Amino acid sequence: MALKNVLHLYLSPMNFKINCIIIDDDPEVVTYVKAYISDIPFLNLVATYTSSALAIERLVADDVKLIFLDIHLPGINGMEFAKTIYDPFNPNKPRIIFISGSEDYVRDGYKVDALDYLLKPFSFEDLFKAAYKARIFFESQAKLNAGFIMLKVEHELVRVPYDKILYIESVKDYVKVYLSEGAPVTALSTLKSLEEQLPAKQFLRVHRSFIVATEKIDSIHSYTIKIGKITIPVSDPYKPNFRQQFQAWF
């Protein structure tokens, strides 16, 4: 039985739908992407556009969360358009699933936090897998408002409030979450996973091994951070974002 015929048996209900748009100048591609989206219950297609310029006004309305974006577009191409709306400090920015006939821009897609990259022609199953990544991402984002994160510690999930976290350190296959009170929490996770789940306005990745709670920083000297008695370095790949967020400290 086709995947789209049994989705209702496996998908738990969401309390919201993901508003999405398609930006592609190929009518044939738009037709089959629209058909695929109509068979995915957690997506809500609000509009289609043939160029990036035409889509700008809709994005300003702030109700679009997901963009199915072609790379080769008239005027501003899809990758350049993605760069213009990319904001690493805005957790509410629209997320992108690229659709392209070429693999040439796959690596560039990661630089703008694209959720996936689909090569034309793609099947319903391919698009569904990409859309499901978006669902997982937006469900995680919705949980941010709760003010805590759930961490897998041995055989249970442990609730850790954001305001108790000082910093997080990567230790092989685990993360160590240091708290303002009590012993550190060691959880089975990765820094990348936590970086995607934690609110960007409160937490900042400063090193391949460290995320810090920005409100818990006591002092900054050059590119080192002090939180209590601990000194944490800011490594080169993270310095531009760090400097942008703490311009007044330099």
Side-chain angles (χ1 to χ4, degrees), residues 86 88-89 166-167 195 200 202-208 210-227 231-250:
Y86 173 66
F89 300 111
L166 298 175
Y167 64 95
E195 184 181 14
Q202 294 174 246
F203 295 90
L204 184 65
R205 180 83 174 263
V206 297
H207 191 280
R208 64 181 298 180
F210 291 98
I211 292 173
V212 299
T214 54
E215 293 183 357
K216 298 299 194 296
I217 295 175
D218 293 314
S219 64
I220 295 172
H221 176 69
S222 185
Y223 285 102
T224 59
I225 296 166
K226 288 206 74 173
I227 298 177
T231 301
I232 297 171
V234 180
S235 60
D236 288 343
Y238 302 96
K239 285 180 178 179
N241 285 348
F242 180 78
R243 188 179 184 92
Q244 183 177 343
Q245 184 145 339
F246 293 101
Q247 289 180 9
W249 293 55
F250 283 87

Side-chain angles (χ1 to χ4, degrees), residues 10 13 27 32-33 46 71 82 115 117 127-128 160 177 192 222:
Y10 297 98
Y32 76 75
V33 174
V46 296
I71 298 257
L115 293 176
Y117 192 106
L127 187 137
F128 175 77
V160 178
V177 182
K192 180 174 175 56
S222 185

Side-chain angles (χ1 to χ4, degrees), residues 4-37:
K4 61 184 176 182
N5 293 331
V6 295
L7 288 181
H8 66 284
L9 299 176
Y10 297 98
L11 292 176
S12 58
M14 289 181 71
N15 57 10
F16 63 93
K17 285 196 172 188
I18 302 169
N19 286 343
C20 60
I21 61 173
I22 302 168
I23 308 178
D24 197 308
D25 63 334
D26 185 333
E28 183 178 347
V29 173
V30 171
T31 297
Y32 76 75
V33 174
K34 283 176 67 175
Y36 289 166
I37 289 174

Side-chain angles (χ1 to χ4, degrees), residues 7-193:
L7 288 181
H8 66 284
L9 299 176
Y10 297 98
L11 292 176
S12 58
M14 289 181 71
N15 57 10
F16 63 93
K17 285 196 172 188
I18 302 169
N19 286 343
C20 60
I21 61 173
I22 302 168
I23 308 178
D24 197 308
D25 63 334
D26 185 333
E28 183 178 347
V29 173
V30 171
T31 297
Y32 76 75
V33 174
K34 283 176 67 175
Y36 289 166
I37 289 174
S38 69
D39 284 323
I40 299 177
F42 54 84
L43 294 183
N44 177 42
L45 181 64
V46 296
T48 65
Y49 300 93
T50 55
S51 74
S52 302
L54 294 172
I56 288 291
E57 187 174 344
R58 187 60 193 245
L59 294 183
V60 172
D62 200 33
D63 64 340
V64 173
K65 298 301 181 187
L66 183 63
I67 306 171
F68 292 91
L69 179 61
D70 186 25
I71 298 257
H72 299 290
L73 291 168
I76 303 172
N77 72 36
M79 188 57 67
E80 290 305 314
F81 175 71
K83 291 176 182 176
T84 66
I85 64 172
Y86 173 66
D87 180 356
F89 300 111
N90 178 12
N92 297 315
K93 65 181 178 292
R95 302 306 293 252
I96 293 169
I97 295 174
F98 282 113
I99 50 180
S100 176
S102 167
E103 294 182 342
D104 293 346
Y105 293 90
V106 172
R107 189 167 294 180
D108 290 333
Y110 290 111
K111 296 178 182 178
V112 291
D113 284 349
L115 293 176
D116 213 333
Y117 192 106
L118 298 174
L119 283 174
K120 304 174 186 178
F122 46 85
S123 66
F124 173 80
E125 286 76 11
D126 294 329
L127 187 137
F128 175 77
K129 289 176 183 176
Y132 196 75
K133 285 184 184 178
R135 171 179 168 147
I136 296 298
F137 173 81
F138 287 113
E139 285 181 329
S140 296
Q141 287 293 97
K143 292 175 184 176
L144 295 182
N145 295 328
F148 62 88
I149 190 169
M150 300 299 293
L151 298 175
K152 186 175 182 180
V153 180
E154 295 183 347
H155 301 295
E156 62 181 354
L157 289 174
V158 175
R159 180 181 183 275
V160 178
Y162 295 149
D163 61 3
K164 301 296 184 186
I165 299 174
L166 298 175
Y167 64 95
I168 305 168
E169 181 181 11
S170 174
V171 184
K172 294 185 178 179
D173 297 328
Y174 294 83
V175 294
K176 205 165 187 177
V177 182
Y178 292 84
L179 307 174
S180 56
E181 300 173 359
V185 175
T186 301
L188 181 61
S189 186
T190 64
L191 274 194
K192 180 174 175 56
S193 174

